[in-house]
Amino acid sequence: MVVGVLALQGSFNEHIAVLRRLGVKGVEVRKPEQLQTVRALIIPGGESTTMAKLAEYHNLFPALREFVKMGNPVWGTCAGLIFLADKAVGQKTGGQELIGGLNCTVHRNFFGSQIQSFEAELSVPEIVAKEGGPPSFRGVFIRAPGILEVGPEVQVLAEVLLPSDRPAKRDAASESLEEAAVAEKVIVAVKQGTLLATAFHPELTADTRWHSYFLKMLDEDSQEASSSTALSSDNLSLPDPPKYELPIIHY
Protein backbone atom coordinates (compact mmCIF):
# COMPACT_ATOMS: atom_id res chain seq x y z
CA MET A 1 0.00 0.00 0.00
CA VAL A 2 1.40 3.38 -1.05
CA VAL A 3 -0.20 6.66 -0.02
CA GLY A 4 0.76 9.90 -1.69
CA VAL A 5 1.06 13.17 0.23
CA LEU A 6 0.87 16.39 -1.76
CA ALA A 7 4.24 17.97 -0.99
CA LEU A 8 4.02 21.50 -2.33
CA GLN A 9 4.07 23.26 1.04
CA GLY A 10 2.82 22.71 4.57
CA SER A 11 2.89 19.71 6.92
CA PHE A 12 3.49 16.90 4.42
CA ASN A 13 6.49 15.52 6.33
CA GLU A 14 4.38 15.11 9.46
CA HIS A 15 1.77 13.07 7.57
CA ILE A 16 4.45 10.83 6.07
CA ALA A 17 5.91 10.28 9.54
CA VAL A 18 2.51 9.15 10.91
CA LEU A 19 2.02 6.79 7.97
CA ARG A 20 5.45 5.31 8.65
CA ARG A 21 4.48 4.69 12.28
CA LEU A 22 1.46 2.76 11.01
CA GLY A 23 3.62 0.66 8.70
CA VAL A 24 2.47 2.36 5.49
CA LYS A 25 4.71 3.88 2.84
CA GLY A 26 4.01 7.55 2.22
CA VAL A 27 5.52 9.27 -0.82
CA GLU A 28 5.79 12.94 -1.72
CA VAL A 29 3.70 14.01 -4.71
CA ARG A 30 4.70 17.14 -6.66
CA LYS A 31 4.01 16.20 -10.29
CA PRO A 32 0.85 14.96 -12.06
CA GLU A 33 2.43 11.68 -13.19
CA GLN A 34 3.27 10.74 -9.59
CA LEU A 35 -0.45 10.35 -8.85
CA GLN A 36 -0.44 7.26 -11.06
CA THR A 37 1.81 5.44 -8.58
CA VAL A 38 -0.34 5.89 -5.43
CA ARG A 39 -3.63 4.41 -4.24
CA ALA A 40 -4.72 7.37 -2.15
CA LEU A 41 -3.73 10.95 -1.44
CA ILE A 42 -3.43 13.22 1.57
CA ILE A 43 -3.56 16.98 0.97
CA PRO A 44 -1.91 18.54 4.03
CA GLY A 45 -2.42 21.78 5.86
CA GLY A 46 -0.44 24.84 4.88
CA GLU A 47 -1.06 28.21 3.25
CA SER A 48 -3.88 27.42 0.84
CA THR A 49 -3.25 30.31 -1.58
CA THR A 50 0.44 29.45 -1.86
CA MET A 51 -0.35 25.77 -2.33
CA ALA A 52 -2.88 26.63 -5.06
CA LYS A 53 -0.36 28.78 -6.93
CA LEU A 54 2.25 26.02 -6.79
CA ALA A 55 -0.30 23.41 -7.91
CA GLU A 56 -1.24 25.63 -10.83
CA TYR A 57 2.43 26.18 -11.72
CA HIS A 58 3.02 22.41 -11.82
CA ASN A 59 -0.24 21.85 -13.75
CA LEU A 60 -1.54 19.58 -10.99
CA PHE A 61 -5.19 20.62 -10.87
CA PRO A 62 -6.42 18.57 -13.88
CA ALA A 63 -4.70 15.43 -12.53
CA LEU A 64 -5.95 16.05 -8.97
CA ARG A 65 -9.53 16.51 -10.18
CA GLU A 66 -9.30 13.30 -12.21
CA PHE A 67 -7.86 11.46 -9.19
CA VAL A 68 -10.88 12.53 -7.13
CA LYS A 69 -13.33 11.85 -9.95
CA MET A 70 -12.04 8.28 -10.28
CA GLY A 71 -13.09 7.60 -6.69
CA ASN A 72 -9.64 7.30 -5.16
CA PRO A 73 -9.56 7.96 -1.40
CA VAL A 74 -8.44 11.53 -0.67
CA TRP A 75 -8.07 13.24 2.72
CA GLY A 76 -7.66 16.99 3.06
CA THR A 77 -6.53 18.57 6.33
CA CYS A 78 -6.99 22.31 6.93
CA ALA A 79 -5.86 23.82 3.60
CA GLY A 80 -6.57 20.41 2.05
CA LEU A 81 -10.19 20.76 3.17
CA ILE A 82 -10.40 24.06 1.28
CA PHE A 83 -8.94 22.39 -1.82
CA LEU A 84 -11.56 19.62 -1.78
CA ALA A 85 -14.59 21.86 -1.18
CA ASP A 86 -16.94 22.66 -4.04
CA LYS A 87 -17.20 26.23 -2.76
CA ALA A 88 -14.99 28.47 -0.62
CA VAL A 89 -15.74 31.93 0.77
CA GLY A 90 -13.63 34.43 2.66
CA GLN A 91 -10.76 34.06 0.22
CA LYS A 92 -8.12 36.61 -0.68
CA THR A 93 -8.77 39.02 -3.54
CA GLY A 94 -8.92 37.04 -6.76
CA GLY A 95 -9.73 33.79 -4.95
CA GLN A 96 -7.95 30.51 -5.59
CA GLU A 97 -8.45 27.44 -7.73
CA LEU A 98 -10.13 24.44 -6.07
CA ILE A 99 -10.13 20.72 -6.78
CA GLY A 100 -13.75 20.24 -5.68
CA GLY A 101 -15.70 17.02 -5.28
CA LEU A 102 -16.76 17.54 -1.65
CA ASN A 103 -20.29 18.94 -1.49
CA CYS A 104 -19.75 21.65 1.09
CA THR A 105 -19.06 25.33 1.53
CA VAL A 106 -16.01 26.30 3.58
CA HIS A 107 -14.87 29.59 5.02
CA ARG A 108 -11.13 30.15 4.72
CA ASN A 109 -9.60 31.30 8.05
CA PHE A 110 -13.01 30.95 9.71
CA PHE A 111 -11.51 31.00 13.20
CA GLY A 112 -9.29 34.02 12.61
CA SER A 113 -5.60 34.67 12.18
CA GLN A 114 -2.51 32.72 13.21
CA ILE A 115 -2.53 34.14 16.75
CA GLN A 116 -6.11 32.89 17.21
CA SER A 117 -5.09 29.26 16.72
CA PHE A 118 -6.30 26.93 19.46
CA GLU A 119 -6.81 23.33 20.57
CA ALA A 120 -10.14 21.75 21.49
CA GLU A 121 -11.52 18.40 22.59
CA LEU A 122 -13.79 17.03 19.85
CA SER A 123 -16.47 14.38 20.20
CA VAL A 124 -15.70 11.79 17.49
CA PRO A 125 -18.19 8.89 17.81
CA GLU A 126 -17.52 7.56 14.29
CA ILE A 127 -13.77 7.41 14.90
CA VAL A 128 -14.29 5.73 18.28
CA ALA A 129 -16.65 3.17 16.72
CA LYS A 130 -14.09 2.25 14.05
CA GLU A 131 -10.79 2.81 15.86
CA GLY A 132 -11.58 2.59 19.58
CA GLY A 133 -9.71 4.73 22.06
CA PRO A 134 -10.97 7.66 24.16
CA PRO A 135 -14.33 9.27 23.29
CA SER A 136 -12.73 12.55 22.23
CA PHE A 137 -9.90 13.75 20.01
CA ARG A 138 -7.78 16.82 20.70
CA GLY A 139 -7.98 18.91 17.55
CA VAL A 140 -5.23 21.39 16.70
CA PHE A 141 -6.68 24.37 14.83
CA ILE A 142 -4.12 26.63 13.13
CA ARG A 143 -5.67 29.54 11.22
CA ALA A 144 -8.33 26.98 10.47
CA PRO A 145 -11.22 26.95 8.01
CA GLY A 146 -14.78 26.12 9.04
CA ILE A 147 -17.47 24.25 7.14
CA LEU A 148 -20.56 26.43 6.79
CA GLU A 149 -22.88 23.93 5.11
CA VAL A 150 -22.85 20.41 3.67
CA GLY A 151 -24.90 18.47 1.16
CA PRO A 152 -27.25 15.62 2.12
CA GLU A 153 -24.70 12.95 1.14
CA VAL A 154 -22.01 14.36 3.45
CA GLN A 155 -21.51 12.71 6.85
CA VAL A 156 -20.54 15.08 9.67
CA LEU A 157 -17.80 13.50 11.80
CA ALA A 158 -16.98 16.31 14.22
CA GLU A 159 -18.10 19.77 15.32
CA VAL A 160 -16.48 22.32 17.60
CA LEU A 161 -17.99 24.91 19.90
CA LEU A 162 -17.02 28.43 18.98
CA PRO A 163 -14.55 29.86 21.51
CA SER A 164 -16.60 32.29 23.60
CA ASP A 165 -13.68 34.68 24.04
CA ARG A 166 -12.84 34.73 20.34
CA PRO A 167 -15.74 35.24 17.90
CA ALA A 168 -15.13 33.56 14.58
CA LYS A 169 -14.25 35.55 11.50
CA ARG A 170 -17.19 35.39 9.11
CA ASP A 171 -18.03 36.39 5.58
CA ALA A 172 -20.77 39.01 5.61
CA ALA A 173 -21.91 38.09 2.13
CA SER A 174 -22.47 34.45 3.03
CA GLU A 175 -24.02 34.69 6.47
CA SER A 176 -26.47 37.12 8.08
CA LEU A 177 -25.88 38.74 11.47
CA GLU A 178 -28.86 36.81 12.86
CA GLU A 179 -27.35 33.49 11.77
CA ALA A 180 -23.99 34.47 13.23
CA ALA A 181 -25.57 35.27 16.58
CA VAL A 182 -27.23 31.88 17.04
CA ALA A 183 -24.43 29.71 15.68
CA GLU A 184 -22.74 27.77 18.50
CA LYS A 185 -21.16 24.84 16.69
CA VAL A 186 -19.11 24.67 13.53
CA ILE A 187 -18.57 21.54 11.42
CA VAL A 188 -14.87 20.67 11.33
CA ALA A 189 -14.72 17.11 9.94
CA VAL A 190 -16.74 15.38 7.21
CA LYS A 191 -16.75 12.31 4.97
CA GLN A 192 -18.37 11.88 1.57
CA GLY A 193 -17.79 8.56 -0.12
CA THR A 194 -14.03 8.23 -0.57
CA LEU A 195 -13.37 11.84 0.48
CA LEU A 196 -12.38 12.76 4.05
CA ALA A 197 -11.76 16.30 5.29
CA THR A 198 -10.72 17.84 8.61
CA ALA A 199 -10.27 21.50 9.51
CA PHE A 200 -7.71 20.55 12.15
CA HIS A 201 -4.30 18.84 12.08
CA PRO A 202 -4.28 15.18 13.30
CA GLU A 203 -0.71 14.83 12.02
CA LEU A 204 0.48 17.23 14.75
CA THR A 205 -0.71 14.96 17.57
CA ALA A 206 0.34 11.57 18.89
CA ASP A 207 -3.16 10.17 18.20
CA THR A 208 -3.05 8.18 14.96
CA ARG A 209 -6.73 7.24 14.80
CA TRP A 210 -7.64 9.61 11.94
CA HIS A 211 -4.84 8.23 9.79
CA SER A 212 -5.88 4.68 10.63
CA TYR A 213 -9.49 5.55 9.78
CA PHE A 214 -8.37 6.91 6.39
CA LEU A 215 -6.33 3.81 5.66
CA LYS A 216 -9.41 1.67 6.32
CA MET A 217 -11.18 3.73 3.64
CA LEU A 218 -8.60 2.35 1.20
CA ASP A 219 -9.49 -1.20 2.22
CA GLU A 220 -13.21 -0.47 1.82
CA ASP A 221 -12.58 1.01 -1.63
CA SER A 222 -10.60 -2.08 -2.66
CA GLN A 223 -13.34 -4.43 -1.44
CA GLU A 224 -16.00 -2.51 -3.38
CA ALA A 225 -13.86 -2.64 -6.52
CA SER A 226 -13.32 -6.38 -6.09
CA SER A 227 -17.05 -6.95 -5.62
CA SER A 228 -17.81 -4.95 -8.76
CA THR A 229 -15.27 -6.98 -10.75
CA ALA A 230 -16.71 -10.27 -9.47
CA LEU A 231 -20.22 -9.20 -10.40
CA SER A 232 -19.07 -8.20 -13.87
CA SER A 233 -17.41 -11.60 -14.37
CA ASP A 234 -20.55 -13.41 -13.23
CA ASN A 235 -22.66 -11.44 -15.68
CA LEU A 236 -20.41 -12.48 -18.55
CA SER A 237 -21.27 -16.15 -17.90
CA LEU A 238 -25.00 -15.61 -18.49
CA PRO A 239 -26.00 -16.98 -21.92
CA ASP A 240 -28.84 -14.60 -22.63
CA PRO A 241 -29.02 -11.81 -20.05
CA PRO A 242 -32.42 -10.11 -19.85
CA LYS A 243 -32.72 -6.72 -21.52
CA TYR A 244 -34.42 -3.77 -19.88
CA GLU A 245 -35.44 -0.53 -21.49
CA LEU A 246 -34.16 1.92 -18.88
CA PRO A 247 -33.38 5.62 -19.28
CA ILE A 248 -29.71 6.53 -19.53
CA ILE A 249 -28.75 9.21 -17.05
CA HIS A 250 -25.57 11.19 -17.70
CA TYR A 251 -23.81 12.73 -14.70
Side-chain angles (χ1 to χ4, degrees):
M1 181 188 300
V2 179
V3 176
V5 182
L6 192 64
L8 301 176
Q9 189 260 349
S11 58
F12 57 89
N13 280 324
E14 288 80 356
H15 276 291
I16 291 175
V18 178
L19 291 172
R20 188 182 302 118
R21 286 165 57 194
L22 295 173
V24 175
K25 183 179 181 180
V27 298
E28 298 177 8
V29 172
R30 293 188 177 90
K31 298 179 180 180
E33 58 268 24
Q34 292 174 317
L35 288 170
Q36 300 174 14
T37 65
V38 300
R39 284 192 52 206
L41 181 71
I42 297 175
I43 305 175
E47 211 294 312
S48 61
T49 304
T50 300
M51 289 172 64
K53 289 179 179 178
L54 289 170
E56 186 176 3
Y57 177 80
H58 291 287
N59 195 33
L60 269 163
F61 277 108
L64 288 168
R65 292 192 185 102
E66 183 64 20
F67 194 83
V68 169
K69 184 179 178 181
M70 293 298 292
N72 296 298
V74 180
W75 175 19
T77 63
C78 197
L81 158 62
I82 299 172
F83 265 52
L84 288 178
D86 282 342
K87 182 180 179 182
V89 299
Q91 301 187 67
K92 292 181 179 179
T93 303
Q96 70 178 65
E97 198 166 353
L98 303 174
I99 298 170
L102 184 60
N103 187 9
C104 71
T105 299
V106 302
H107 190 302
R108 181 181 181 273
N109 293 358
F110 181 88
F111 293 99
S113 64
Q114 188 82 17
I115 61 172
Q116 293 172 307
S117 301
F118 65 98
E119 297 183 11
E121 292 293 333
L122 307 175
S123 175
V124 287
E126 169 71 5
I127 300 301
V128 174
K130 294 290 181 65
E131 305 300 326
S136 65
F137 178 90
R138 190 156 189 83
V140 178
F141 294 82
I142 303 175
R143 200 169 62 175
I147 302 173
L148 302 182
E149 58 183 8
V150 298
E153 71 276 40
V154 178
Q155 180 184 5
V156 175
L157 300 180
E159 297 175 303
V160 67
L161 287 171
L162 294 180
S164 58
D165 62 333
R166 228 173 17 243
K169 185 177 180 181
R170 299 175 181 277
D171 184 83
S174 67
E175 189 170 17
S176 69
L177 292 176
E178 181 181 357
E179 289 172 335
V182 300
E184 295 182 352
K185 290 184 178 181
V186 180
I187 300 170
V188 292
V190 294
K191 179 177 181 289
Q192 177 189 326
T194 55
L195 300 181
L196 178 67
T198 56
F200 46 93
H201 291 263
E203 76 280 7
L204 299 183
T205 74
D207 193 333
T208 61
R209 286 181 294 169
W210 282 94
H211 287 79
S212 180
Y213 181 80
F214 179 62
L215 294 175
K216 284 186 173 64
M217 289 172 56
L218 275 72
D219 294 334
E220 293 169 0
D221 182 58
S222 297
Q223 290 172 7
E224 290 178 5
S226 298
S227 297
S228 298
T229 303
L231 288 173
S232 298
S233 300
D234 290 342
N235 288 340
L236 288 175
S237 65
L238 293 173
D240 295 302
K243 297 181 179 180
Y244 301 96
E245 297 296 330
L246 297 175
I248 298 175
I249 302 174
H250 298 282
Y251 293 95

